[in-house]
Amino acid sequence: MMVESASETIRSAPSGQNGVGSLSGQADGSGGGAGAAGTAGGGAGRDTAAGADSNGEMSPADLLHFQQQQALQVARQFLLQQASGLSSPGNNDSKQSASAVQVPVSVAMMSPQMLTPQQMQQILSPPQLQALLQQQQALMLQQLQEYYKKQQEQLHLQLLTQQQAGKQQPKEALGNKQLAFQQQLLQMQQLQQQHLLNLQRQGLVSLQPSQASGPLQTLPQAVCPTDLPQLWKGEGAPGQPAEDSVKQEGLDLTGTATTATSFAAPPKVSPPLSHHTLPNGQPTVLTPRRDSSSHEETPGSHPLYGHGECKWPGCETLCEDLGQFIKHLNTEHALDDRSTAQCRVQMQVVQQLEIQLAKESERLQAMMAHLHMRPSEPKPFSQPVTISAADSFPDGLVHPPTSAAAPVTPLRPPGLGSASLHSGGPARRRSSDKFCSPISSELAQNHEFYKNADVRPPFTYASLIRQAILETPDRQLTLNEIYNWFTRMFAYFRRNTATWKNAVRHNLSLHKCFVRVENVKGAVWTVDEREYQKRRPPKMTGSPTLVKNMISGLSYGALNASYQAALAESSFPLLNSPGMLNPGSASSLLPLSHDDVGAPGEPLPSNGSSSPPRLSPPQYSHQVQVKEEPAEAEEDRRPGPALGPPNPSTTGPAEDRDLEEELPGEELS
DNA sequence: AGGACTGTAAACATAC
DNA sequence: AGTATGTTTACAGTCC
């Protein structure tokens, strides 16, 4: 109830400080304004953060962060150069920009300094990004190495000094000091491992499994300081120092993958990478020790295999058993450029998420501290994938909290009944439904995120239901299948079932766009796309509201910018469709994807109600597959023989077909 | 201020 | 009787 209002009130302030956005913000749509502020202030916020870090006493984490900011900065500059050569960055004429460049207008309208990584990724070509990335990674590696070298030297020096001094000291004191130094060394080493792991994830460092795991497994024991530089330098791998591996295309998957999972280091959300060790056809399954949530770890399982389908980003190929899956893995996801790129992207995703998680956790703690919440309260974010914090369901009046399984603790402080906390209804505004965040692309890009994170998706029930239906080849689902889609796609909908199921049913009945069709097996639900689009405002360009919404949507996307940036390349089948990836298509004026693009493109009367339907939306052709006549044929849908053959039953979601068929070069204004 | 939209809750009906 | 499904109404919150 008032939880979200509270979170929003609280959130609006810090969201401007963190350009990456707030994970907690995605739960409700009313973050439009706040989101825009966050985006606008993002560049400054990041820059100041980086600037504050660069005071000489930079920690490794800071250094890493700083390097990432540098990378972003370079990318921005690159983008700026590119944009300035084509159109003025300050030019807000969207059509001009969009026609001149194949750059999404909403992005083109923004200053590059405001761009989030995923926006830049959308703009820059993969080779450009690759080059930038590698350049920055190499730089980062060098600096990290220097940093660690210095640290090691310092420590070593101190140790020597202490040892010498210790000769004149009682043994006890010397022992204590040595102990302290050992602890310090241990910390250093752990730190190094962490960064080594990070770098490995980025493909910067490659170590042979034995060589890498050797020193690391001896971690808890006393270590010789001289081992550390060796480890760091990659001397464990003779003839292949780390710098070399940087130069080699940056990713050595065989070594990286194996060692990466052998680390016991940072828990959180790193997905296993062991699958890359299988290109040779070896059915060896490396089950990582961690990766708790979503993957079974039974011996007969594979982290990339679950629920009978391949979990490779954007794949979801059905495999009957593990053997078939392994086969599929080795054929479809062998060690090639594409897989490499996808893996690298995934590495960055994980890394960004970890960074983001740390930030958000810190922020949450600060918020809670500020609100005088019990500091001893168990932190929900201690769990890897339950990132959501602010998005809490109305606390448990109708829907009993799913006991301890519910990882989200409502943020509402018991004593806070202030004016900022509305005691009223539970309504949330889903900003993205209308303009800014097309569900299919948004969902596509954050597919894995919503699957695992207990975050309420920022979409309306109607749009979610529609998406569920449209994702099926037949474009029809039973209610139960819709339920299943919800629970499958969103961790959030794995609890409070009574509430959202009721809402689903309510929406199905309420909206005319959902058509119930009697089938032999029962009833299925289909989408009347035309009715759905009728709900949409007919005009979408030019208004400041639109810009705001778009920006907010983009800002929202920045919540998990890494995800978007990463998955945009490869993750979701939708995105691989030509209509999705071509910003220069008819949708270029609004980079909102087909979900929303379809709306204005629809040849609707401007008032949306005057004339009878002339064109049968292509969706109806799918209803041909329904065995019986619609129970309620109130609208007398003609299957539209003019539209000809039933849509090719493509396996993927068919929204790109919408785009093609419903948008014959339609202008949007 | 008011309408549209949305989410939530609930009552009720129907079918299995 | 219980459950799933479907319809409808009511109300509150948000946005325009």
Side-chain angles (χ1 to χ4, degrees), chain A residues 162 165-181:
Chain A
Q162 288 298 324
K167 289 172 186 173
Q168 298 144 8
Q169 285 180 355
K171 268 191 175 179
E172 212 171 315
L174 177 61
N176 286 339
K177 292 202 171 184
Q178 279 183 333
L179 197 64
F181 271 122

Side-chain angles (χ1 to χ4, degrees), chain A residues 409-432:
Chain A
T409 55
L411 269 183
R412 182 166 75 97
L416 272 181
S418 72
S420 64
L421 305 178
H422 309 155
S423 61
R428 298 174 179 83
R429 192 72 176 176
R430 298 277 171 293
S431 68
S432 55

Side-chain angles (χ1 to χ4, degrees), chain A residues 548-597:
Chain A
K548 185 186 118 186
N549 280 330
M550 291 199 310
I551 290 175
S552 76
L554 292 167
S555 167
Y556 161 73
L559 295 176
N560 32 40
S562 57
Y563 246 93
Q564 302 215 355
L567 300 180
E569 261 194 353
S570 59
S571 173
F572 214 65
L574 272 173
L575 293 176
N576 295 332
S577 66
M580 285 299 299
L581 288 182
N582 182 9
S585 67
S587 62
S588 64
L589 278 178
L590 286 172
L592 299 179
S593 99
H594 39 315
D595 186 321
D596 286 326
V597 165

Side-chain angles (χ1 to χ4, degrees), chain A residues 418-470:
Chain A
S418 72
S420 64
L421 305 178
H422 309 155
S423 61
R428 298 174 179 83
R429 192 72 176 176
R430 298 277 171 293
S431 68
S432 55
D433 184 37
K434 285 260 193 281
F435 303 101
C436 51
S437 185
I439 180 170
S440 48
S441 64
E442 170 71 34
L443 193 53
Q445 293 175 359
N446 300 289
H447 175 242
E448 287 296 326
F449 176 77
Y450 291 125
K451 219 171 187 172
N452 296 320
D454 191 10
V455 173
R456 185 184 183 105
F459 311 111
T460 63
Y461 282 111
S463 56
L464 284 173
I465 294 167
R466 169 178 172 268
Q467 179 70 15
I469 293 172
L470 293 186

Side-chain angles (χ1 to χ4, degrees), chain A residues 52-75:
Chain A
D53 287 342
S54 59
N55 57 1
E57 281 294 317
M58 187 181 283
S59 74
D62 295 335
L63 187 59
L64 198 64
H65 181 68
F66 181 61
Q67 290 299 331
Q68 288 170 344
Q69 302 311 322
Q70 276 191 327
L72 281 178
Q73 195 61 35
V74 171

